[in-house]
Amino acid sequence: MGVTQEQIYAGLDLDLSWSERDLPERVRTKHVHRLHPYLGKYIPQLVEELLRRHVPARGEVLDPFAGSGTTLVQALESGLDSAGVDIAAFNCLLMRVKTAEHNPFVLERELRDALGRFERGEGKAARANAYVSAWFAPQSRADLLRFRSLANDYEHADVLRVILARAARSARLTSHFDLDFPREPQTEPYWCHKHRRECRPVEHADHFIRRYTLDTLTRLKEFARVRSRRTAQVLHGDARELDLPGPFDAVVTSPPYPGLIDYHEQHRYAYELLSLDDERERELGAAARGTSRAALTAYTEGIAGVLGACADALRPRSRFVIVVNDRRELYPQILSQAGLVLEQRYQRHVNRRTGRRAGEYFEDVLVARRA
Ligand SMILES: C[S@@+](CC[C@H](N)C(=O)[O-])C[C@H]1O[C@@H](n2cnc3c(N)ncnc32)[C@H](O)[C@@H]1O
């Protein structure tokens, strides 16, 4: 290759290792990045810097594991075209809502109209399915189902669906400290580790619907002020098999990691309330599949398959920028199976994350190209 390991491994990149003080949560979750919770995203400031370093001006970037759309949103902010693929239907809905160019006047009129009608008691609560009956108190599910019925009347129905999902997430019968992956509905008062007192499960959802409708409006308007008019395409499907558009100037992505997160399951309430297609069996690295040798082999082949497919959609000499916490050291094999060579690798100190998975660790940024 003509490049030594020392040159490839540039070590800790202090420019990407922000402290909590440099980058408080409010800044990491600016505008649409906090439109809906999503476990497993990377921070927008990291993406912004990676786009600056590795994507030519006015170029087009591809994210084959686009998740909640951080790459696409930042590409729009940086004046780049982009496309993002995800297997999870809810993630694609969320990305479309974040990246669409909404007419601000129609958006505001519709959201306020829907909220007004909801608060006047309009809408019809259809029969709840088994999941909705088990995971929501009677008043919460009546609120959510009524709001759902109103959403269909509007041009911005998808925005209202994301608001519905966010309200549903907050209104589930869970303890306050177990919002990410609750196992059983919490139907009785409980000792709350987060608030250090007895808390009660949520009994209604109307206050969440109000709060999130207004917050979503503010966030979409904030993003509209910094968004360029470039395009962001959202492609729903398995990135190993989709016909990718292109040609692209770079891939910037953070792939799923084996055994950590179930990306469909974390938004189960949304799938149940919005009748979205569940394709979890195609999810790479799903936690439910564990970390057995067979699971790791399937993961390695799957990610290599995706990167290989992306390579065909890239212009010659374009870069793959892959953010990963590769503690199992799977990526040397994955890159080689995908026909890629590593050019550079830098490490970033991840100072703090929110939620129960808080802690400190290092993340790698791998920069590769076709061999
Ligand atoms: C680490 S997350 C990406 C998060 C993203 N960088 C963000 O900031 O929101 C990985 C994503 O890969 C998606 N995924 C898993 N298997 C996939 C497949 N076969 N094709 C496309 N996407 C897949 C998951 O649904 C998940 O959203």
Side-chain angles (χ1 to χ4, degrees):
M1 253 194 305
V3 183
T4 66
Q5 281 304 311
E6 286 71 28
Q7 283 168 318
I8 287 177
Y9 187 77
L12 190 62
D13 191 323
L14 290 173
D15 290 344
L16 300 179
S17 302
W18 297 277
S19 69
E20 181 65 21
R21 222 174 70 197
D22 299 332
L23 213 53
E25 205 203 339
R26 157 180 60 77
V27 183
R28 300 196 301 268
T29 56
K30 61 182 177 173
H31 52 69
V32 292
H33 292 299
R34 164 75 49 95
L35 218 56
H36 190 285
Y38 174 100
L39 198 63
K41 53 176 134 184
Y42 50 17
I43 59 170
Q45 288 74 14
L46 171 63
V47 177
E48 189 179 351
E49 178 58 18
L50 297 178
L51 295 175
R52 196 187 63 75
R53 290 185 189 184
H54 300 290
V55 188
R58 302 184 73 76
E60 185 164 7
V61 60
L62 169 65
D63 185 347
F65 301 110
S68 67
T70 312
T71 311
L72 274 59
V73 168
Q74 286 313 122
L76 282 171
E77 226 186 285
S78 302
L80 302 168
D81 289 317
S82 60
V85 182
D86 207 282
I87 189 62
F90 179 70
N91 301 351
C92 291
L93 169 69
L94 182 57
M95 278 194 270
R96 281 200 304 273
V97 166
K98 286 181 176 182
T99 56
E101 202 173 350
H102 304 284
N103 176 322
F105 303 105
V106 181
L107 177 74
E108 175 140 14
R109 192 182 65 228
E110 290 200 343
L111 263 53
R112 290 192 186 280
D113 190 67
L115 182 60
R117 287 173 65 201
F118 171 72
E119 293 188 331
R120 289 193 297 277
E122 287 184 39
K124 207 164 161 277
R127 248 178 97 117
N129 68 14
Y131 176 93
V132 174
S133 300
W135 281 92
F136 297 96
Q139 187 56 51
S140 303
R141 59 182 186 251
D143 291 341
L144 295 167
L145 293 170
R146 219 160 41 72
F147 191 68
R148 181 181 75 179
S149 77
L150 294 173
N152 297 330
D153 297 343
Y154 298 92
E155 198 181 303
H156 290 87
D158 280 349
V159 178
L160 292 164
R161 291 185 186 115
V162 168
I163 295 168
L164 173 77
R166 189 173 170 197
R169 184 179 191 278
S170 298
R172 282 170 308 168
L173 290 173
T174 63
S175 55
H176 289 134
F177 52 85
D178 203 12
L179 287 166
D180 290 339
F181 289 109
R183 279 189 203 106
E184 297 287 328
Q186 177 75 44
T187 52
E188 299 296 327
Y190 58 95
W191 175 254
C192 179
H193 302 295
K194 189 170 167 195
H195 299 114
R196 303 188 150 276
R197 59 175 158 82
E198 190 177 82
C199 285
R200 301 177 67 81
V202 175
E203 286 170 0
H204 55 110
D206 53 350
H207 55 308
F208 292 125
I209 290 173
R210 159 163 273 274
R211 189 192 305 165
Y212 297 150
T213 301
L214 300 177
D215 184 65
T216 298
L217 189 54
T218 305
R219 289 178 180 278
L220 287 173
K221 284 184 353 192
E222 270 169 19
F223 183 51
R225 285 197 282 276
V226 294
R227 173 194 198 287
S228 67
R229 307 206 64 185
R230 307 300 293 227
T231 58
Q233 291 184 69
V234 176
L235 307 166
H236 179 210
D238 187 329
R240 286 168 289 191
E241 292 171 1
L242 269 187
D243 260 346
L244 294 168
F248 296 95
D249 298 290
V251 163
V252 174
T253 195
S254 68
Y257 211 65
L260 276 188
I261 297 178
D262 288 309
Y263 285 94
H264 280 78
E265 184 59 24
Q266 70 163 301
H267 303 123
R268 172 83 184 271
Y269 49 91
Y271 287 83
E272 298 283 351
L273 277 165
L274 299 171
S275 307
L276 301 171
D277 278 349
D278 188 324
E279 296 183 72
R280 67 180 69 202
E281 74 289 349
R282 305 205 65 88
E283 209 183 286
L284 291 168
R289 237 163 278 135
T291 53
S292 63
R293 188 178 291 197
L296 295 183
T297 305
Y299 170 84
T300 301
E301 279 170 11
I303 301 283
V306 171
L307 297 180
C310 292
D312 293 334
L314 249 59
R315 289 186 208 283
R317 290 182 299 283
S318 298
R319 298 295 183 267
F320 284 77
V321 183
I322 304 166
V323 178
V324 70
N325 175 4
D326 190 18
R327 60 195 166 81
R328 289 178 205 279
E329 299 187 8
L330 300 173
Y331 274 75
Q333 172 69 24
I334 289 174
L335 294 185
S336 122
Q337 248 173 267
L340 305 180
V341 286
L342 186 66
E343 275 193 340
Q344 198 187 353
R345 167 177 154 176
Y346 36 92
Q347 209 173 41
R348 162 181 127 76
H349 179 220
V350 181
N351 184 269
R352 185 174 176 278
R353 309 209 102 187
T354 52
R356 290 185 80 199
R357 294 149 47 81
E360 309 220 343
Y361 65 94
F362 291 90
E363 206 167 56
D364 281 330
V365 181
L366 311 177
V367 183
R369 63 170 170 76
R370 212 168 198 171

